[in-house]
């Protein structure tokens, strides 16, 4: 069997000029698309922190895992129309906020009863099968002894309905409290979609015109 011989062509005579033209520059990039770049941080929704901003402690490992679980359980329950499980990760007086491409919420839902009414009537009518894939969960603050926490996370939401699309990408900002049973629940949760693909909007409400 013959072994192919790989050869590499010499760089073109104008290689330096090509590198100069294609290298990144410091010129500003116009924000003429929706959503604006960096909208979550520039809008004050999140404040990214360096590694170590929240001290590491072996005593808090379980708390960190349970905070992750709150995000994950919310996601799977949403996709399986289990509003009862969604409610189990919320405090009784939860504040749920939703926005698209902006740190200013389009609307707010206060309390478990309103969340149940809104989601219970909307989730069954969503188009296709959705899978909220939670990623990049970061604990931004964890009070000692652990009783309150601030966490952010990403979400990717594919939607399958006679085909497959990415419905949206999401950033979550959750303020959580550790309740008497030892589990962490959202006292406040901001759900920020970057934009929305075609089809029906999220269970919390329809998308803005032009952002579908």
């Amino acid at each position: 069997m013959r072994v192919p011989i790989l050869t590499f062509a010499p760089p073109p005579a104008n290689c330096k000029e090509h590198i100069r033209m294609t290298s990144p520059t410091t010129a500003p990039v116009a924000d003429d698309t929706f959503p604006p770049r960096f909208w979550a941080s520039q809008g004050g929704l999140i404040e990214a922190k360096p590694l170590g901003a929240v001290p590491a402690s072996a005593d808090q490992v379980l708390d960190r895992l349970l905070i992750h679980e709150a995000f994950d359980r919310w996601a799977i329950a949403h996709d399986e129309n289990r509003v009862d499980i969604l409610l189990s990760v919320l405090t009784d007086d939860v504040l749920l906020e939703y926005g698209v491409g902006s740190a200013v919420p389009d609307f707010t839902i206060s309390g478990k009863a309103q969340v149940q009414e809104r989601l219970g009537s909307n989730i069954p009518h969503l188009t296709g099968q959705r899978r909220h894939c939670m990623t990049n969960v970061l604990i931004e603050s964890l009070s000692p002894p652990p009783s309150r926490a601030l966490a952010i996370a990403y979400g990717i939401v594919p939607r399958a309905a006679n085909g497959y699309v990415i419905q949206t990408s999401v950033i979550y900002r959750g303020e959580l409290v550790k309740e008497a049973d030892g589990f962490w629940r959202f006292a406040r949760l901001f759900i920020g979609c970057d934009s929305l693909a075609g089809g029906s909007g999220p269970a919390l409400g329809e998308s803005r015109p032009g952002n579908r």
Side-chain angles (χ1 to χ4, degrees), residues 61-135:
V61 171
L62 179 59
D63 290 305
R64 288 174 176 268
L65 290 173
L66 290 175
I67 289 170
H68 277 243
E69 183 178 340
F71 282 104
D72 294 340
R73 201 165 292 280
W74 167 274
I76 292 177
H78 184 288
D79 299 329
E80 298 303 322
N81 190 25
R82 290 296 305 274
V83 177
D84 58 321
I85 296 176
L86 287 172
L87 297 176
S88 77
V89 302
L90 307 176
T91 63
D92 290 338
D93 58 350
V94 65
L95 188 66
L96 198 61
E97 299 168 298
Y98 170 80
V100 178
S102 172
V104 178
D106 289 345
F107 58 81
T108 299
I109 306 173
S110 300
K112 271 188 177 181
Q114 285 193 27
V115 173
Q116 182 174 20
E117 180 181 355
R118 187 73 177 252
L119 296 182
S121 60
N122 286 3
I123 288 180
H125 301 290
L126 291 176
T127 303
Q129 177 61 64
R130 304 176 186 219
R131 299 293 182 198
H132 285 68
C133 306
M134 307 299 291
T135 71

Side-chain angles (χ1 to χ4, degrees), residues 170-191:
V170 189
I171 187 165
Y172 299 86
R173 180 186 186 276
E175 298 177 19
L176 300 98
V177 296
K178 186 176 183 179
E179 297 200 312
D181 61 359
F183 287 97
W184 289 84
R185 292 180 173 85
F186 295 106
R188 184 174 184 178
L189 180 62
F190 188 102
I191 302 170

